[in-house]
Amino acid sequence: MAGQSGSQLSLFTPDEVEFVAEDELVEIVPNLRMDSLNFICGDYGPFYPQIAIQVPLWLALALKKRGKCTIRPPQWMSIENLTQVLEGERESHAFQTLPFHYVEISRLLFDRARDDIPDVYMVRSLVEDIRDVRFHKVETNLENFTNSSLVLQWKNMAAMEVNIIRAFSGRALQAFYRHENEQAVPDLDRTQDRQPQNLNDRPRVCRSFCCIPIFPLHHWIDKIVFISCLLDYCPTIVFLWRAYCLFVVPLQRNLRPR
Amino acid sequence: MGDYYDIDDILAEEDFVPVQFHKAVNGVKIDESSERGFVEQDSKAELPFWLARGLHLQQAISIKVPACFNRNTRLEIEADAGSVDLRSRCSYFYEFGCKVAPYCDKSIGLLVSYAFKARYKEVLYKSHTKAFAAASKIMTFLTKEETNLYEAAQSSMAAFRKWRMGGPRLQRASILGRKRKPAE
């Protein structure tokens, strides 16, 4: 598990995942007349009263907040479909097909557009049940990390579920990889290990970690060591400095109690 | 030698390992008990690992198995890895084991990876669930690296729950809430 300077993992907060989810298209029924809106992501409109149109979710929510439209719940959010999905989830080990952002979309619609969804309480409880069952499956899958495979493939996971286990599973996979590697190739001759390690054979998840170099500036001797390493000096000099610190400078050191 | 500047790497190498000197060394004072500044051949001492490694390359010493990987620990891990208190033995159990293994005993590498797999299965993968958060006594057993994993899981789960509860999307900065006192 060495090398887990992992406070700088590339993580997303749930709010950021929700922000990305708001790009999904939903169908709305406006009650105003407006010219077409030209955005960088596309052109939407023109809007005519009572004529359905597809817009991104963020735009739909903004219009809904101003009372300019009603949002039609997406196809997958009907009670029949959700009941079917829930039964499928309970029966099989695989994940059922749901939109990638179903958690965020459903939460946003429940919060902002509650009156547009028929049987909102039933739908809400179904979505919560589905979420619980799926997350339980995720945890069961996490238990199977001990197979030494560098690539794990789970189909049909949703964005929020992935985000929850992203940090944990990234670090766990890295740790497993480290231990397998240590067993396979113990390198005895460290003096030759001056080249930077070949990163090509590491799992993909490692490459997005950025390690912040921490050097102990609190001790000026170590500063010299750092500079000498920077200038690519022989490691013997580095070792001699450290031995100098220990032997010549008298240290009051107690042996660690076992 | 991946991360020279990584603080966890530095701390992991601080642990003591028992060594046996092959050559007599002059002018150094390892034990406070010895009056003379002299270490005889075939005497035993405990040195920090970073020093022991360097001396090993000079072929001045041979490194023995550190106490935290001894037979007692092995038996305990084989019995029930999930409840072994690894933090009191060595906070950097896994990392230290990976470093020491090439020098004294290859089977330490197997022990370390077996211990990690077993503890992962029993302890760590459950760290996502809420009920597990109540069993915070597990935290005292974990080594530094396992604590990293555990906290990553806990914080991401807590963030998700907080997001689900809702709350205002715009938050008022706390500094605005305070009333200004008249400057005297």
Side-chain angles (χ1 to χ4, degrees):
Chain A
M1 300 173 81
Q4 297 227 340
S5 55
S7 57
Q8 300 297 322
L9 293 180
S10 56
L11 292 178
F12 294 106
T13 66
D15 295 306
E16 288 165 356
V17 180
E18 185 188 51
F19 186 75
V20 171
E22 285 179 348
D23 267 342
E24 301 280 329
L25 291 176
V26 292
E27 200 168 350
I28 64 165
V29 178
N31 58 7
L32 80 165
R33 177 185 291 263
M34 197 159 59
D35 288 336
S36 53
L37 299 167
N38 303 337
F39 298 127
I40 296 174
C41 60
D43 298 331
Y44 303 104
F47 299 90
Y48 299 111
Q50 313 307 325
I51 302 214
I53 187 168
Q54 297 251 338
V55 293
L57 184 59
W58 57 268
L59 182 58
L61 293 173
L63 289 175
K64 174 77 186 175
K65 193 169 168 190
R66 291 159 178 79
K68 307 269 188 226
C69 72
T70 62
I71 302 183
R72 273 207 202 139
Q75 296 282 352
W76 57 269
M77 223 158 149
S78 64
I79 291 193
E80 301 86 28
N81 190 37
L82 286 177
T83 325
Q84 218 173 2
V85 166
L86 183 59
E87 278 174 22
E89 293 279 351
R90 284 190 176 142
E91 280 162 19
S92 81
H93 279 298
F95 294 103
Q96 298 295 308
T97 313
L98 272 178
F100 188 49
H101 291 283
Y102 80 96
V103 179
E104 301 93 77
I105 295 179
S106 57
R107 183 187 160 258
L108 283 169
L109 290 181
F110 290 143
D111 282 348
R112 315 280 177 86
R114 188 170 296 202
D115 43 350
D116 290 337
I117 306 175
D119 287 327
V120 60
Y121 292 113
M122 188 69 188
V123 172
R124 186 174 191 153
S125 74
L126 280 171
V127 169
E128 295 280 322
D129 286 340
I130 290 177
R131 209 171 44 77
D132 280 337
V133 173
R134 283 172 73 106
F135 196 67
H136 189 72
K137 277 192 206 169
V138 163
E139 287 180 7
T140 326
N141 282 345
L142 274 184
E143 191 180 355
N144 297 334
F145 263 18
T146 49
N147 303 339
S148 58
S149 53
L150 294 180
V151 176
L152 292 167
Q153 195 179 26
W154 299 340
K155 296 202 169 135
N156 287 332
M157 267 185 86
M160 189 54 78
E161 292 155 5
V162 169
N163 189 50
I164 290 176
I165 65 168
R166 190 194 308 265
F168 176 77
S169 53
R171 287 188 191 169
L173 278 176
Q174 193 185 17
F176 276 117
Y177 179 78
R178 273 280 173 161
H179 288 307
E180 301 293 321
N181 228 18
E182 287 292 337
Q183 272 186 51
V185 187
D187 46 328
L188 282 177
D189 198 358
R190 301 264 180 181
T191 50
Q192 287 172 4
D193 197 346
R194 298 287 327 286
Q195 286 87 18
Q197 287 194 0
N198 187 12
L199 285 177
N200 290 335
D201 53 345
R202 293 230 182 149
R204 291 304 270 176
V205 68
C206 291
R207 303 193 78 156
S208 58
F209 297 171
C210 59
C211 297
I212 294 185
I214 300 174
F215 41 90
L217 275 181
H218 63 279
H219 204 295
W220 66 271
I221 293 182
D222 280 318
K223 216 195 267 186
I224 301 228
V225 166
F226 160 62
I227 292 174
S228 70
C229 284
L230 198 57
L231 297 176
D232 238 12
Y233 277 15
C234 174
T236 320
I237 291 188
V238 171
F239 159 66
L240 282 175
W241 266 115
R242 286 190 137 167
Y244 180 85
C245 308
L246 179 64
F247 288 142
V248 178
V249 179
L251 286 174
Q252 307 295 328
R253 178 170 281 189
N254 295 322
L255 287 180
R256 192 180 289 244
R258 292 286 172 201
Chain B
M1 292 275 275
D3 306 357
Y4 186 77
Y5 309 114
D6 184 17
I7 196 76
D8 284 323
D9 224 41
I10 295 173
L11 288 174
E13 293 188 358
E14 280 292 315
D15 281 324
F16 285 89
V17 292
V19 301
Q20 186 172 20
F21 279 85
H22 287 317
K23 305 176 184 167
V25 185
N26 225 344
V28 300
K29 192 173 162 195
I30 299 215
D31 293 326
E32 293 87 13
S33 57
S34 63
E35 297 298 327
R36 314 166 294 162
F38 181 71
V39 179
E40 295 143 350
Q41 192 166 355
D42 289 337
S43 68
K44 300 202 171 139
E46 293 220 342
L47 296 179
F49 176 70
W50 51 269
L51 187 56
R53 182 168 60 196
L55 287 174
H56 182 82
L57 289 173
Q58 310 292 322
Q59 274 126 25
I61 59 170
S62 67
I63 301 184
K64 308 272 183 249
V65 177
C68 49
F69 300 112
N70 63 4
R71 195 165 155 67
N72 280 345
T73 320
R74 269 176 212 262
L75 290 175
E76 281 189 28
I77 287 179
E78 277 165 28
D80 181 13
S83 55
V84 178
D85 187 1
L86 284 181
R87 187 189 276 193
S88 63
R89 286 168 211 267
C90 175
S91 286
Y92 288 91
F93 186 77
Y94 301 107
E95 221 171 276
F96 191 48
C98 291
K99 288 179 192 296
V100 168
Y103 292 104
C104 49
D105 192 1
K106 298 280 188 308
S107 67
I108 289 183
L110 291 170
L111 170 72
V112 159
S113 79
Y114 172 77
F116 178 61
K117 282 181 187 153
R119 279 168 79 92
Y120 177 81
K121 235 177 147 65
E122 294 186 25
V123 168
L124 285 176
Y125 91 95
K126 294 181 197 150
S127 56
H128 274 287
T129 59
K130 187 170 183 186
F132 199 72
S136 58
K137 65 180 172 69
I138 304 287
M139 289 268 310
T140 54
F141 289 0
L142 302 175
T143 68
K144 202 81 185 333
E145 307 100 313
E146 288 172 341
T147 316
N148 258 348
L149 273 183
Y150 182 80
E151 278 170 9
Q154 288 285 312
S155 65
S156 67
M157 202 60 196
F160 170 68
R161 272 191 217 113
K162 189 169 162 224
W163 171 80
R164 237 186 76 213
M165 301 293 286
R169 287 185 81 155
L170 297 174
Q171 286 177 338
R172 198 181 155 87
S174 58
I175 196 168
L176 294 175
R178 286 185 240 139
K179 294 190 176 156
R180 282 202 208 155
K181 292 193 178 152
E184 296 285 349

